Amino acid sequence: MTSLTESTPPTVAATPKQGGDVRARWAWTEPSVWTERMLTALETGVKGGKWFSLIDKVWKPANLESAWHKVRANGGAGGVDHKTVAQFDRRAAQELDDLGSALREGRYSPSGVRRAYIPKPGSAEKRPLGIPTVRDRVVQAALRQVLEPIYEATFAPTSYGFRPGRGCRDALREVARHLDAGHLYIVDVDIRKYFDSIPHEALMARVAEQVADERVLRLLQQFLKQGVMEQGQVTEPEAGTPQGGVISPLLANVYLNPLDHLLAAQGYAAVRYADDMVILCRTFAEAEAALDLLRHWVTAAGLELHPEKTRIVDMTQNGSSFDFLGYRFKRVRRRLLRFPRPKSLARLRDAVRPLTRRTNGRSMAETVRQLNPVLRGWFEYFQHSYANVFPSVDGWIRMRLRSILRKRHHLRGRGRGLDHHRWPNAFFAEQGLFSLAAAHAAACQSVRR
């Protein structure tokens, strides 16, 4: 069986809990909030297990300014007040001062969120987003900088989504490691509309297990109850933490953290990225038991598993597969291989098409210059796919470019046939076009060396 484990070493190590420099271990935390004494308390524990007196850290000018810099760097659209990041930036000092005063004096109240929808590649459905105002995003970012280290100290190592120093590649590497170790019965988990269905009361109870500052809890409650504006109508959500909010990923992890620890305590190999999860088992019976445990926990937590998408996959069977974080893991005869899942390929094509329209009017050199960052970024993530993926994608891209050249020579149709002789692959290489197949071959050669 072919090993799926990537050759590069893991980038995430377990956080040491004693010895050494505590500031170095928590280097990602906001220094204006988290003093060395507070960081030490994260590791040694606080009296009663709960944190008090946190609201003054939220409105601290340095924390608000740091939060604003992160919001500005992320950009994004305006909320219900239509104020853009650029408009906020023009009078940022006054805006931050006003926010600090409102928070200190208990006058701050978040605006509603603007409902927007983004397409889900490969699906007729659209993903709902709740876009807060820039002002509210700054407060959420400041609040997250205060709260995140408290919960990060308790999160399970099997959780990878929206956590400092962790990411998709680490989660994929862990899945590959378990598959290589013989965990070939996969519980493919889909929690139906997770972000939209988290029960507010249960979530707040979980948050309050470690935070006892009433003003902080009240602020969080306000964000959960923000009205959602859609087509001129405002509705107050009864559940969920809207995707698009700065604080939402942290709250989503807080709510699923007990499930991570329960699965680990029962000896299951699970990997979770936000609401995407797989449980990897050695036998079908073990997978059935894991699924039964999962069902009971999810139901008790007020959530629901998708009845069709949640399933057990037997990866010992030829042709069996499951998708995780953009990849498709598939058994092909006696080999376990990785491919970009169809939606990932569709997303690449959607990014390439606008750059390669036949009537774009740009020179070939300029078209290639705009294409290359898209191709490099896609390859950087999907470079561990099976080798035959890349020549076919390269061929489709060159077909788009040949079609442009045909149009400029007053010829109709797509680039094919004799066009391969008029403009051979070497022509596009001379233009500097990034080749996925060549990059993959070079990466494999580097690993062998």
Side-chain angles (χ1 to χ4, degrees):
M1 183 176 66
T2 299
S3 171
L4 290 175
T5 307
E6 299 170 18
S7 58
T8 52
T11 58
V12 177
T15 301
K17 295 299 180 184
Q18 59 185 7
D21 182 358
V22 67
R23 174 63 69 186
R25 292 198 292 274
W26 295 89
W28 56 270
T29 58
E30 171 53 41
S32 69
V33 172
W34 286 92
T35 64
E36 190 162 326
R37 181 181 62 83
M38 291 175 66
L39 293 174
T40 301
L42 279 176
E43 298 187 354
T44 59
V46 292
K47 187 176 180 179
K50 292 191 177 186
W51 290 78
F52 295 82
S53 303
L54 295 173
I55 190 65
D56 60 310
K57 315 293 190 300
V58 177
W59 69 54
K60 194 172 185 178
N63 185 38
L64 285 172
E65 185 174 358
S66 170
W68 156 239
H69 288 316
K70 290 182 179 178
V71 169
R72 183 174 59 185
N74 287 333
V80 294
D81 62 355
H82 304 294
K83 182 178 288 186
T84 65
V85 171
Q87 288 171 327
F88 190 99
D89 193 23
R90 283 197 283 271
R91 57 188 309 269
Q94 185 61 51
E95 293 275 12
L96 296 178
D97 188 58
D98 292 346
L99 276 178
S101 297
L103 287 164
R104 275 193 307 274
E105 297 164 13
R107 295 184 290 103
Y108 173 79
S109 179
S111 306
V113 298
R114 181 170 64 84
R115 174 67 77 211
Y117 294 89
I118 59 173
K120 295 174 70 174
S123 171
E125 298 180 23
K126 291 193 174 183
R127 190 186 308 279
L129 295 180
I131 304 175
T133 63
V134 177
R135 173 177 176 267
D136 291 340
R137 296 208 292 269
V138 171
V139 177
Q140 286 193 27
L143 182 59
R144 178 171 179 166
Q145 290 183 161
V146 172
L147 293 180
E148 188 168 28
I150 295 172
Y151 297 101
E152 180 64 28
T154 71
F155 285 160
T158 53
S159 166
Y160 291 88
F162 306 106
R163 293 184 59 189
R166 294 183 156 226
C168 292
R169 294 177 193 176
D170 305 300
L172 289 164
R173 188 180 292 114
E174 190 67 2
V175 168
R177 186 178 71 82
H178 287 305
L179 288 170
D180 286 345
H183 293 78
L184 299 177
Y185 296 87
I186 314 301
V187 182
D188 190 3
V189 181
D190 188 288
I191 302 176
R192 188 193 287 245
K193 296 182 178 179
Y194 173 61
F195 279 85
D196 296 327
S197 59
I198 304 172
H200 287 171
E201 186 176 345
L203 173 59
M204 290 304 301
R206 203 148 287 165
V207 171
E209 289 173 1
Q210 290 168 269
V211 171
D213 187 317
E214 289 297 331
R215 292 184 65 179
V216 165
L217 296 175
R218 195 179 311 122
L219 185 57
L220 274 176
Q221 187 77 45
Q222 285 180 297
F223 283 127
L224 291 177
K225 295 297 184 182
Q226 279 179 284
V228 178
M229 179 175 286
E230 185 172 8
Q231 296 181 344
Q233 301 294 318
V234 178
T235 57
E236 183 178 297
E238 298 179 359
T241 174
Q243 296 186 68
V246 178
I247 200 75
S248 295
L250 174 62
L251 296 178
N253 276 334
V254 168
Y255 199 63
L256 288 182
N257 188 43
L259 174 61
D260 297 335
H261 286 287
L262 174 64
L263 291 170
Q266 296 294 320
Y268 294 115
V271 179
R272 182 175 68 80
Y273 189 98
D275 58 335
D276 290 332
M277 173 185 280
V278 288
I279 307 171
L280 302 100
C281 304
R282 290 189 178 276
T283 66
F284 187 79
E286 183 184 345
E288 286 186 310
L291 181 54
D292 188 56
L293 177 67
L294 177 71
R295 284 197 182 105
H296 280 88
W297 189 94
V298 165
T299 301
L303 303 171
E304 181 185 1
L305 292 176
H306 195 294
E308 297 171 359
K309 295 180 181 178
T310 299
R311 63 199 178 108
I312 296 175
V313 182
D314 179 358
M315 291 296 288
T316 67
Q317 299 299 310
N318 185 45
S320 60
S321 67
F322 68 95
D323 295 343
F324 189 61
L325 299 182
Y327 272 94
R328 173 161 290 176
F329 293 81
K330 186 173 183 178
R331 165 75 71 175
V332 181
R333 298 184 179 87
R334 299 183 62 183
R335 305 174 69 188
L336 281 173
L337 302 175
R338 260 196 269 185
F339 302 86
R341 69 175 187 163
K343 288 182 180 179
S344 302
L345 288 168
R347 190 175 288 115
L348 174 64
R349 292 190 179 103
D350 288 345
V352 167
R353 284 190 183 99
L355 302 177
T356 55
R357 291 194 177 99
R358 299 178 205 185
T359 56
N360 66 35
R362 294 186 296 270
S363 69
M364 184 56 61
E366 177 62 16
T367 299
V368 166
R369 189 189 69 79
Q370 293 188 18
L371 265 179
N372 281 347
V374 175
L375 301 179
R376 286 195 182 96
W378 193 86
F379 176 77
E380 183 66 21
Y381 189 76
F382 288 104
Q383 63 180 295
H384 301 286
S385 299
Y386 185 49
N388 70 356
V389 168
F390 304 110
S392 62
V393 178
D394 278 342
W396 179 80
I397 291 166
R398 287 192 295 263
M399 179 275 293
R400 300 277 303 177
L401 296 177
R402 288 185 178 107
S403 298
I404 295 173
L405 295 170
R406 281 182 64 85
K407 176 74 174 177
R408 292 174 183 175
H409 283 72
H410 308 292
L411 300 172
R412 295 181 179 180
R414 298 189 306 171
R416 56 192 173 187
L418 291 176
D419 296 330
H420 290 265
H421 298 288
R422 292 189 187 101
W423 305 290
N425 294 355
F427 168 80
F428 297 105
E430 290 168 2
Q431 296 289 316
L433 179 66
F434 182 83
S435 166
L436 301 171
H440 183 259
C444 290
Q445 184 67 26
S446 176
V447 169
R448 283 194 288 269
R449 287 175 180 170

